[in-house]
Amino acid sequence: MNNTRNTIQKQVILNAVRELKNHPTSEEVYNYIKPNFPSISLGTVYRNLNLLSENNEIQKISIIDDAVRFDHITNEHYHFQCDKCKKLIDINLPYNKELDEAVSKKYNVEINKHDIVFIGVCKSCKSE
């Protein structure tokens, strides 16, 4: 029974990330599902988000000086984060595999992937 509950909770959390589509934090996912699932805890949401990212069902995005965020898009892509409002936006540019190869060769390391986050001011904040 506990395993079934965990599966239901995991599915609810996955659906929330997909529905929000805004690179939510664990707290934002928790606040989104809490009204319909009042018995769920923030710890349960956090654990399941990490499990979902380990299983490549969502992507975990760690940005320096910001909360960990989760992305419903799991293919390799880039992001833009606004310095003012902290909004995170998907950047639709081809993933540059050559960058992995160049760094691997220059530093004699094995590269699995890279994450690039462009940082600046978004269109909304610029117009304020």
Side-chain angles (χ1 to χ4, degrees):
M1 183 82 164
N2 193 15
N3 192 20
T4 303
R5 182 175 180 192
N6 189 28
T7 302
I8 292 167
Q9 289 174 335
K10 196 183 315 181
Q11 190 60 52
V12 166
I13 292 164
L14 176 60
N15 289 344
V17 173
R18 289 177 176 162
E19 290 166 15
L20 286 166
K21 296 182 183 178
N22 66 344
H23 307 90
T25 63
S26 54
E27 190 170 325
E28 289 169 335
V29 172
Y30 171 75
N31 290 333
Y32 183 77
I33 63 177
K34 183 75 174 167
N36 294 323
F37 298 91
S39 65
I40 200 160
S41 71
L42 180 57
T44 297
V45 171
Y46 185 77
R47 270 190 311 281
N48 280 283
L49 285 168
N50 283 310
L51 282 171
L52 288 164
S53 83
E54 287 170 14
N55 294 335
N56 296 318
E57 294 179 71
I58 59 174
Q59 185 180 45
K60 186 176 187 176
I61 306 167
S62 299
I63 300 174
I64 296 170
D65 295 334
D66 196 15
V68 172
R69 297 182 168 274
F70 297 91
D71 194 347
H72 69 287
I73 300 172
T74 57
N75 66 324
E76 296 163 327
H77 64 285
Y78 303 116
H79 294 94
F80 170 86
Q81 185 177 42
C82 179
D83 264 338
K84 291 187 176 186
C85 68
K86 300 300 181 193
K87 182 177 182 181
L88 198 61
I89 302 166
D90 291 312
I91 299 297
N92 189 15
L93 288 173
Y95 184 83
N96 186 346
K97 199 78 170 142
E98 291 82 26
L99 188 56
D100 293 343
E101 294 163 9
V103 171
S104 178
K105 186 175 181 178
K106 181 170 182 164
Y107 293 96
N108 193 26
V109 295
E110 183 180 321
I111 304 291
N112 297 324
K113 70 174 196 159
H114 65 268
D115 293 320
I116 294 178
V117 178
F118 299 93
I119 299 177
V121 180
C122 73
K123 187 177 180 179
S124 298
C125 290
K126 253 175 63 171
S127 64
E128 288 179 358

